[in-house]
Amino acid sequence: MAACTQGGLAVSSDTPFAPDRDIKAKAKDGLLVGHRLMDAGEHELAIRAYTRAAAQNGISSDIMAGIGSANLALGRLGQAEDNLRDAIKIDPIVPQYWNNLGVVLMERGKFQEASQIFKRAFALDNGESDAIRDNLRLALAKIENPAYDANQRQEEFKLVRRGNSDYLLQQTP
């Protein structure tokens, strides 16, 4: 009897089910999807989106930096460092890449190298970024006094998204 109605077998517009996907539609840019997933805190899915973007468009510095930032957020510091160094090899004049590499080095306890990286990021940015300046100050404070905040655990710092792919180590309240 259901097929005898005027609507036939078509799905009504007030259905609780999700619409079917349009298989003819063009896929969204993987880089954009990766950035959105990073904003949403879905770092594993962001890595998949960045990888898909690399497969479709080739490896770029933005993709490598995105993967590095996602690995950094996941605590995979060695992988993040490698990814960010690769991004810098591809495009060495982007201050956000240098800043993110500095954040990785800070997390690894390499304060001297991190301060040098932050200085380079600060110079490339012409001193316009407050986040880079704050990261540089923290690195210099750690060099001057290695026991600086020694009683605080690493979990008390978090990464804060700034702009496209710039992060800041910030103490949680």
Side-chain angles (χ1 to χ4, degrees):
M1 291 305 277
C4 295
T5 64
Q6 285 182 345
L9 296 177
V11 178
S12 69
S13 62
D14 61 343
T15 181
F17 301 106
D20 288 338
R21 63 186 175 105
D22 184 4
I23 58 173
K24 295 178 184 175
K26 186 177 178 185
K28 298 289 182 192
D29 178 33
L31 187 62
L32 176 65
V33 172
H35 289 328
R36 289 180 180 170
L37 288 167
M38 285 291 289
D39 287 338
E42 296 291 339
H43 308 295
E44 278 294 340
L45 293 175
I47 291 174
R48 289 184 186 175
Y50 291 132
T51 305
R52 189 171 49 252
Q56 292 172 346
N57 306 325
I59 294 177
S60 69
S61 60
D62 286 337
I63 291 171
M64 291 308 297
I67 293 171
S69 297
N71 279 323
L72 173 61
L74 290 168
R76 300 174 185 159
L77 301 179
Q79 291 176 351
E81 183 177 349
D82 291 343
N83 297 141
L84 291 167
R85 288 189 190 278
D86 289 342
I88 288 170
K89 285 178 189 171
I90 296 169
D91 193 358
I93 62 168
V94 180
Q96 291 85 3
Y97 303 165
W98 289 96
N99 180 66
N100 290 354
L101 178 59
V103 171
V104 170
L105 295 171
M106 286 291 293
E107 288 287 320
R108 297 186 84 180
K110 299 178 180 179
F111 307 124
Q112 188 68 40
E113 186 179 1
S115 71
Q116 296 301 316
I117 296 294
F118 287 135
K119 285 178 184 177
R120 180 166 297 194
F122 194 69
L124 287 171
D125 192 48
N126 293 325
E128 294 179 11
S129 173
D130 293 336
I132 294 173
R133 185 177 336 114
D134 291 343
N135 285 342
L136 177 57
R137 276 191 207 137
L138 178 60
L140 293 173
K142 288 281 195 173
I143 291 170
E144 288 177 17
N145 184 6
Y148 181 74
D149 290 337
N151 58 349
Q152 292 182 349
R153 296 183 323 167
Q154 191 172 0
E155 292 83 32
E156 293 182 12
F157 291 96
K158 67 177 183 176
L159 294 171
V160 178
R161 174 91 176 195
R162 300 278 176 118
N164 272 342
S165 58
D166 187 23
Y167 288 86
L168 168 68
L169 277 176
Q170 205 174 43
Q171 190 174 4
T172 56

